[in-house]
Amino acid sequence: MELRELRGRRVAVWGTGREGIAAVEAIAPAGPERLITVQDTANYLATNWTGTLAEVAPLFSGEDALRELAEIDVIVRSPGIPDVHQWIVAHRAKGGVVTSGTALWMSANKSVTVGVTGSKGKSTTSSLIHALLAGAGRPNELGGNIGIAALAMPEAPAYVMELSAYQCADLDDSPRVAVVTSLFPEHLDWFGGEAAYFRGKLNIAMHGAEAVVFNGQDARLVDEFGRRAGLPLVAAGLPDGFHVAPGPDGERWFFRAGDALFPRADLALLGRHNESNLCVALAALEAAGVDCVASRAELAAALRGFAGLEHRLQPIEDPSGLTFVDDSLSTIPQSTIHAIENFADRPLSVIVGGDDRGVDYTPLRDYLLENKVNATLIGIPDSGPMILSLVADVPTISTVEAQDMHDAVRLGRERTAAGGVVLMSPAAASYGRYDNFAHRSRVFREAIEATRS
């Protein structure tokens, strides 16, 4: 569906955050017969819905919103409004259309867009693609789930869009280059089950993508794409494509098949998972028309200037000799596993827990058990106690519950040996107790300051 197709139709924008604002501002000029904004509850508004916004798209909540929706043709939902919500189910049952701002934007911009999703790695990979394209002389804008909402994106010759599972689910047009970094069960409460989540996530690739780039070392991705015939698949991380191997000097290098590109040291980001992210990013560049072998010097220069993302494995040195690490972007156990891998050779405490979305934490337990990781896990509300109970039988792990982030940092100081690491890698979403991952990070840093003796 395109914006122009909303002319003369009755449209509800669901949500009052940045996605909702962008949707109202983009849809109003398209000429809908009626435009309203809805919330299922009046208890939380991301924006004070007054002034021009209220005039253009008056806000209804609760029972008032439900009555209004009975007369609506199209719901444009913000990310986070689940497929299983009774209003969404009822609207579809009566033949109504459910879409999103991202889907409306993608219909007009798919031919110049690289879209990136994944259960982990999508933020880093989309940022890498953005930086490397610019380094290769390809101006582009970065947005979507990271930064600017799709319908608020400025005019540009090309786009790199990070897309959450929520944003992928409503697409009926694929970006020219669809990128999937990894696939793990997540957001099961939103989708209603693992199969539905996988289907929603991989929907990014199902509507005319010219290339579908994916991590060829991810067994679940290989299996899921193997079930979907006819896609123009490009596997990254394998010897015949972009991969990492010993280079001319015996150190690890990035390669395009047999062609050495640049040393691993040019990538400042820690972890083997970030090597995989860069291989996927390079494959996406090639799919977008960049000759990565011919442009390797420019790409290496851009890579050396890439500082990584805020709140992803950011070290914070402390006068005590401890290193605190902000990994607030970690919202699933697999991300926390990768974070722990980087510090498992040092005395280590890990702060875990957050919004309980029914995520399976067995992979974290299995990793700690199989690798005999010595660490203290500090559990914070809401899911922290549950995670601690799951790892209680791992003999090399000690556990302790904290009342909040401040208490967790205090316990980390007490229980981590000199020269060690206190890693805040929650393996859970921030919602409920924090506005978002950035707010959680800010509270973590404030607690570090407050607990210094």
Side-chain angles (χ1 to χ4, degrees), residues 157-232:
Y159 299 93
V160 179
M161 300 295 283
E162 182 201 317
L163 303 176
S164 69
Y166 312 141
Q167 292 164 323
C168 291
D170 287 328
L171 294 178
D172 46 23
D173 296 281
S174 292
R176 177 189 170 196
V177 180
V179 179
V180 188
T181 61
S182 60
L183 193 63
F184 298 106
E186 196 185 11
H187 304 303
L188 304 187
D189 52 344
W190 193 94
F191 284 94
E194 180 177 292
Y197 167 70
F198 290 166
R199 186 166 58 251
K201 196 76 164 169
L202 299 185
N203 190 51
I204 189 176
M206 304 307 296
H207 303 282
E210 293 182 12
V212 179
V213 177
F214 70 102
N215 180 1
Q217 296 179 320
D218 186 309
R220 186 176 278 110
L221 269 179
V222 172
D223 178 61
E224 289 292 329
F225 276 132
R227 302 167 186 267
R228 293 162 169 80
L231 294 177

Side-chain angles (χ1 to χ4, degrees), residues 113-377:
T113 299
V114 177
V116 184
T117 196
S119 301
K120 64 177 178 64
K122 62 182 178 294
S123 297
T124 296
T125 303
S126 55
S127 298
L128 279 166
I129 294 169
H130 167 63
L132 294 175
L133 279 172
R138 303 288 187 92
N140 67 98
E141 290 287 340
L142 174 65
N145 191 53
I146 185 171
I148 304 171
L151 284 174
M153 290 295 288
E155 290 291 327
Y159 299 93
V160 179
M161 300 295 283
E162 182 201 317
L163 303 176
S164 69
Y166 312 141
Q167 292 164 323
C168 291
D170 287 328
L171 294 178
D172 46 23
D173 296 281
S174 292
R176 177 189 170 196
V177 180
V179 179
V180 188
T181 61
S182 60
L183 193 63
F184 298 106
E186 196 185 11
H187 304 303
L188 304 187
D189 52 344
W190 193 94
F191 284 94
E194 180 177 292
Y197 167 70
F198 290 166
R199 186 166 58 251
K201 196 76 164 169
L202 299 185
N203 190 51
I204 189 176
M206 304 307 296
H207 303 282
E210 293 182 12
V212 179
V213 177
F214 70 102
N215 180 1
Q217 296 179 320
D218 186 309
R220 186 176 278 110
L221 269 179
V222 172
D223 178 61
E224 289 292 329
F225 276 132
R227 302 167 186 267
R228 293 162 169 80
L231 294 177
L233 298 175
V234 179
L238 305 181
D240 61 345
F242 293 96
H243 67 286
V244 181
D249 56 2
E251 300 297 326
R252 291 173 67 78
W253 277 58
F254 288 93
F255 282 79
R256 170 62 173 93
D259 292 310
L261 299 177
F262 34 73
R264 168 65 175 85
D266 283 351
L267 175 65
L269 306 185
L270 298 173
R272 293 291 179 91
H273 64 291
N274 279 319
E275 295 177 3
S276 295
N277 290 337
L278 181 53
C279 288
V280 170
L282 291 168
L285 254 69
E286 185 173 82
V290 176
D291 185 334
C292 294
V293 176
S295 302
R296 56 188 149 196
E298 293 82 1
L299 296 178
L303 192 60
R304 289 191 292 270
F306 184 76
L309 301 176
E310 281 192 294
H311 319 304
R312 173 68 81 204
L313 290 176
Q314 283 193 312
I316 305 164
E317 299 301 331
D318 189 75
S320 66
L322 295 174
T323 299
F324 290 86
V325 178
D326 176 4
D327 194 37
S328 187
L329 273 171
S330 171
T331 59
I332 57 174
Q334 289 78 11
S335 292
T336 296
I337 290 169
H338 288 308
I340 292 171
E341 286 175 342
N342 290 291
F343 305 107
D345 60 343
R346 296 172 63 181
L348 178 63
S349 294
V350 187
I351 299 171
V352 295
D355 186 27
D356 188 353
R357 299 170 298 164
V359 173
D360 179 13
Y361 286 92
T362 304
L364 176 59
R365 176 198 173 276
D366 292 346
Y367 165 77
L368 296 171
L369 182 63
E370 293 168 8
N371 291 274
K372 299 180 173 60
V373 175
N374 284 285
T376 297
L377 262 59

